[in-house]
């Protein structure tokens, strides 16, 4: 289960096979994990216990016949990228929490003293609380106590100290919108964007997994077709050999029958190679809890091709809901926040501060409050040319126009992809029906030719020709089945409706 790496202590390689007889038996398949885990024996034992006991629990839900829905549900719940996509929500919550931190109340304190040759020149002490609000007004409360022989007269306060309570507000730039409010809005947009990005990742993952599934199903069907052809060719070869031994057929027919068997075996080996490669590609999507890689058991099969539904696609229930469009629209919202913030930068800066003052010795502060005891201030600033601010605003508006054009282009492209996929899916329905009739007709021709051959009224060449036509028709039928199902996946992926019906509550609505 484990081997030592050259640069690291331990490299974990674990895999299991999907089956019900026996369910998910441990089967080694190298799959590189973490580059360096830990050389401690305890870690090895814990990983070994996880690998040995996690698989039988999951095997209860895996049938011997693996359907598309079962596969996609397994991928959506256990693939590492699907598990990683869940972390997007945690990241969005962290970003939103960080943005809300801009409105957290803040305690502050400041102490400054000077002593020289035994004389206290000054002692300045101040502490207080500042409370930002969503409306751009900052509330504050402070206590100040100063003293000293050379104290600056403007810092003189009563011996018991001085209380101050008031507010500061921007009457120009920042009154209706500022950097803190912009960051909070961006965080909320990002939270919605991470939900759309997560859904987009799952959609892409399920589309790829579904495509590999139907390629595997088609390859398995081709193996069945060639296996049946080999069995028939071998039976015919045995009959020809017996007839040639009795003198009923020329000996040269045995050579032709043997060549036929060999050609069928070549086709079977090629089909097995395609099936093995398709299974290997599908195995890349099979995981348990995003940690343990799984493998298809050799006995695991897709549904019988005759049971696969080949029918016109149902109309889209909600139109285009592709997460890529949602991300572009959210990008527009983010740029609109930037535009609003930069419009504020064009306004002059006018900040007003006011604090009511109350002596620290007051027993009842509200009763001792006087409107004549206060301190206030006002500050003003304004750029004369505003070139920097106007340049930023112009760039933002250019980006807005570009993003709007990008959104229009994406909508057009996705509509085209949806229409193309629907056309392909609907056309393959009629083609599949024709291919099914061809298979039936070729089967009847082949059966009649075999009867004539057994009666001595036909040749191996004609029987071989009928079999080749029947095999080609069967393979064409499988090809059309795969093409139709992949077209349905492509339509749903372009429309953005791959994940929700399969994942259910896993997809967040943020």
């Amino acid at each position: 289960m484990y081997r030592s790496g050259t640069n690291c202590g331990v490299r974990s390689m674990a895999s299991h096979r999907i089956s019900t007889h026996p369910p998910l038996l441990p089967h080694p398949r190298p799959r590189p994990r973490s580059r360096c885990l830990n050389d401690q024996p305890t870690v090895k034992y814990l990983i070994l216990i996880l690998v040995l006991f996690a698989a039988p629990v999951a095997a209860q839900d895996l049938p011997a016949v693996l359907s598309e829905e079962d596969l996609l549900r397994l991928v959506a719940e256990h693939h590492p990228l699907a598990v990683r996509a869940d972390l997007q929500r945690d990241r969005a919550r962290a970003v939103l929490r960080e943005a809300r931190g801009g409105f957290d109340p803040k305690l502050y304190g400041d102490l400054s003293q000077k002593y020289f040759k035994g004389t206290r020149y000054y002692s300045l002490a101040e502490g207080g609380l500042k409370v930002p609000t969503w409306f751009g007004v900052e509330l504050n409360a402070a206590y100040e106590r100063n003293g000293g022989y050379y104290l600056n007269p403007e810092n003189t306060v009563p011996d018991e100290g001085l209380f101050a309570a008031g507010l500061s507000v921007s009457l120009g730039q920042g009154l209706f919108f500022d950097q803190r409010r912009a960051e909070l809005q961006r965080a909320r947009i990002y939270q919605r964007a991470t939900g759309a990005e997560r859904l987009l990742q799952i959609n892409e993952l399920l589309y790829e997994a579904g495509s590999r599934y139907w390629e595997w199903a088609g390859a398995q069907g081709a193996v069945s077709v060639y296996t049946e052809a080999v069995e028939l060719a071998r039976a015919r070869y045995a009959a020809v050999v017996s007839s040639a031994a009795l003198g009923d057929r020329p000996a040269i027919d045995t050579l032709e029958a043997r060549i036929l068997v060999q050609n069928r075996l070549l086709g079977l080996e090629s089909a097995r190679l395609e099936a093995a490669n398709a299974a290997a590609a599908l195995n890349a999507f099979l995981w348990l809890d995003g940690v343990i890689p799984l493998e298809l058991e050799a006995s695991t099969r897709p549904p019988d091709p005759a049971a696969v539904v080949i029918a016109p696609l149902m109309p889209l229930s909600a139109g285009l809901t592709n997460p890529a469009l949602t991300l572009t629209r959210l990008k527009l919202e983010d740029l609109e926040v930037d535009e609003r913030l930069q419009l504020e930068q064009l306004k002059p800066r006018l900040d007003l501060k006011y604090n009511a003052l109350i002596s620290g010795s007051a027993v009842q502060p509200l009763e001792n409050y006087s409107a004549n005891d206060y301190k206030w201030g006002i500050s003003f600033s304004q750029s004369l040319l505003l070139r920097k601010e106007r340049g930023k605003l112009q760039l933002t508006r250019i980006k807005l126009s570009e993003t709007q054009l990008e959104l229009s282009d994406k909508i057009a492209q996705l509509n085209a992809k949806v229409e193309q996929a629907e056309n392909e899916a609907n056309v393959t329905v009629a083609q599949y029906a024709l291919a099914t009739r061809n298979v039936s007709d070729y089967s009847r021709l082949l059966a009649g030719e075999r009867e004539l051959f057994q009666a001595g009224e036909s040749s191996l060449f004609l029987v071989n020709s009928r079999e080749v036509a029947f095999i080609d028709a069967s393979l064409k039928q499988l090809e059309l089945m795969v093409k139709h199902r992949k077209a349905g996946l492509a339509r749903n992926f372009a429309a953005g409706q791959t994940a929700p019906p399969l994942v259910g509550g896993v997809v967040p609505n943020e």
Side-chain angles (χ1 to χ4, degrees):
M1 299 295 291
Y2 303 92
R3 72 180 180 190
S4 298
T6 56
N7 300 324
C8 308
V10 177
R11 178 175 294 175
S12 172
M13 296 176 293
S15 63
H16 298 275
R17 293 182 177 271
I18 299 179
S19 179
T20 54
H21 305 292
L24 281 175
L25 291 177
H27 178 78
R29 173 165 69 93
R31 182 78 64 87
R33 301 266 63 35
S34 175
R35 182 64 84 147
C36 294
L37 294 178
N38 198 320
D39 290 333
Q40 297 299 327
T42 305
V43 176
K44 298 180 181 179
Y45 297 144
L46 290 175
I47 296 177
L48 180 61
I49 292 173
L50 174 65
V51 171
L52 292 178
F53 290 96
V57 176
Q60 300 173 0
D61 299 329
L62 295 176
V65 177
L66 185 63
S67 67
E68 180 191 32
E69 184 177 355
D70 291 335
L71 170 79
L72 296 185
R73 190 175 298 279
L74 177 67
V75 171
E77 294 176 356
H78 296 281
H79 194 277
L81 292 181
V83 176
R84 174 176 163 239
D86 288 337
L87 298 177
Q88 297 291 340
R89 289 181 295 184
D90 296 334
R91 177 181 297 178
R93 293 190 188 101
V95 171
L96 183 60
R97 185 179 296 114
E98 179 183 7
R100 285 174 174 167
F103 296 90
D104 288 348
K106 292 182 180 180
L107 285 172
Y108 71 93
D110 185 22
L111 175 63
S112 178
Q113 295 181 334
K114 180 179 179 180
Y115 290 85
F116 184 70
K117 292 184 178 181
T119 302
R120 186 178 71 167
Y121 276 53
Y122 60 81
S123 175
L124 306 176
E126 182 180 357
L129 173 68
K130 294 182 178 181
V131 183
T133 67
W134 173 256
F135 305 103
V137 178
E138 184 176 83
L139 306 177
N140 61 80
Y143 175 73
E144 182 180 5
R145 189 164 186 174
N146 306 324
Y149 190 78
Y150 296 109
L151 181 68
N152 193 322
E154 72 177 31
N155 294 324
T156 302
V157 296
D159 294 339
E160 297 81 7
L162 188 67
F163 287 102
L167 55 84
S168 60
V169 59
S170 297
L171 298 178
Q173 182 184 130
L175 176 61
F176 300 106
F177 203 62
D178 58 16
Q179 186 68 37
R180 281 187 299 198
R181 283 175 276 186
E183 290 298 330
L184 184 56
Q185 284 198 16
R186 288 195 190 104
R188 288 171 175 168
I189 293 172
Y190 179 76
Q191 187 176 38
R192 293 158 57 197
T194 52
E197 184 178 357
R198 175 182 178 276
L199 186 56
L200 180 62
Q201 291 176 358
I202 295 178
N203 276 347
E204 292 176 348
L205 180 64
L206 295 184
Y207 171 68
E208 291 295 330
S211 299
R212 301 296 85 77
Y213 171 83
W214 286 111
E215 290 171 2
W216 169 69
Q220 289 290 342
V223 169
S224 300
V225 170
Y226 276 108
T227 300
E228 182 181 358
V230 167
E231 293 174 354
L232 294 174
R234 281 175 171 168
R236 189 178 309 111
Y237 173 68
V240 171
V241 169
S242 299
S243 298
L246 296 174
D248 295 336
R249 288 189 176 277
I252 194 66
D253 283 356
T254 62
L255 179 59
E256 185 175 355
R258 188 174 69 182
I259 292 174
L260 180 61
V261 172
Q262 292 170 172
N263 287 334
R264 295 290 182 270
L265 286 173
L266 285 175
L268 177 60
E269 290 304 317
S270 297
R272 284 175 175 170
L273 175 60
E274 292 292 333
N277 289 338
L282 186 59
N283 285 335
F285 295 91
L286 302 179
W287 293 78
L288 181 64
D289 296 331
V291 178
I292 304 172
L294 307 178
E295 268 191 354
L296 291 168
E297 184 66 55
S299 59
T300 305
R301 289 289 181 269
D304 190 284
V308 176
V309 177
I310 306 295
L313 299 179
M314 298 294 293
L316 291 172
S317 58
L320 282 181
T321 58
N322 195 301
L325 298 180
T326 304
L327 286 173
T328 307
R329 292 188 179 103
L330 291 173
K331 183 179 178 181
L332 281 173
E333 290 188 25
D334 190 71
L335 288 172
E336 288 170 355
V337 171
D338 288 344
E339 182 186 31
R340 184 181 177 187
L341 181 61
Q342 286 155 18
L343 283 172
E344 283 289 318
Q345 304 298 321
L346 299 177
K347 299 177 181 179
R349 188 80 188 180
L350 183 63
D351 297 333
L352 174 66
K353 296 182 180 180
Y354 175 84
N355 286 276
L357 303 179
I358 302 175
S359 173
S361 62
V363 179
Q364 296 179 334
L366 294 180
E367 292 184 0
N368 294 331
Y369 167 72
S370 173
N372 296 322
D373 299 333
Y374 63 90
K375 64 177 181 178
W376 75 285
I378 189 170
S379 61
F380 172 83
S381 65
Q382 171 66 29
S383 174
L384 295 179
L385 300 179
L386 295 172
R387 286 183 291 190
K388 179 179 179 181
E389 292 77 7
R390 288 187 289 113
K392 285 185 177 181
L393 180 60
Q394 185 177 8
L395 288 175
T396 299
R397 286 176 171 171
I398 291 173
K399 291 179 182 178
L400 270 170
S401 298
E402 290 175 343
T403 306
Q404 288 169 347
L405 294 173
E406 179 186 349
L407 177 61
S408 299
D409 179 63
K410 282 185 178 181
I411 292 175
Q413 289 186 6
L414 290 174
N415 278 323
K417 289 181 179 179
V418 168
E419 185 176 357
Q420 291 170 356
E422 286 181 341
N423 292 338
E424 184 174 359
N426 294 331
V427 168
T428 50
V429 171
Q431 291 177 331
Y432 185 82
L434 289 174
T436 302
R437 286 198 294 268
N438 280 345
V439 170
S440 177
D441 292 343
Y442 279 122
S443 177
R444 292 170 61 189
L445 282 175
L446 179 59
E449 201 66 45
R450 286 171 182 165
E451 292 179 1
L452 292 175
F453 178 77
Q454 292 173 358
E457 299 178 5
S458 183
S459 64
L460 276 175
F461 176 78
L462 289 175
V463 174
N464 183 31
S465 298
R466 302 296 188 196
E467 282 189 348
V468 169
F470 174 75
I471 292 172
D472 289 343
S474 299
L475 295 178
K476 185 63 177 179
Q477 184 186 29
L478 290 171
E479 178 187 345
L480 290 170
M481 178 194 73
V482 174
K483 193 174 181 180
H484 173 80
R485 300 298 298 192
K486 289 178 70 173
L489 283 172
R491 193 281 299 264
N492 291 338
F493 171 69
Q497 297 183 14
T498 303
L502 297 164
V503 183
V506 178
V507 178
N509 183 17
E510 295 176 328

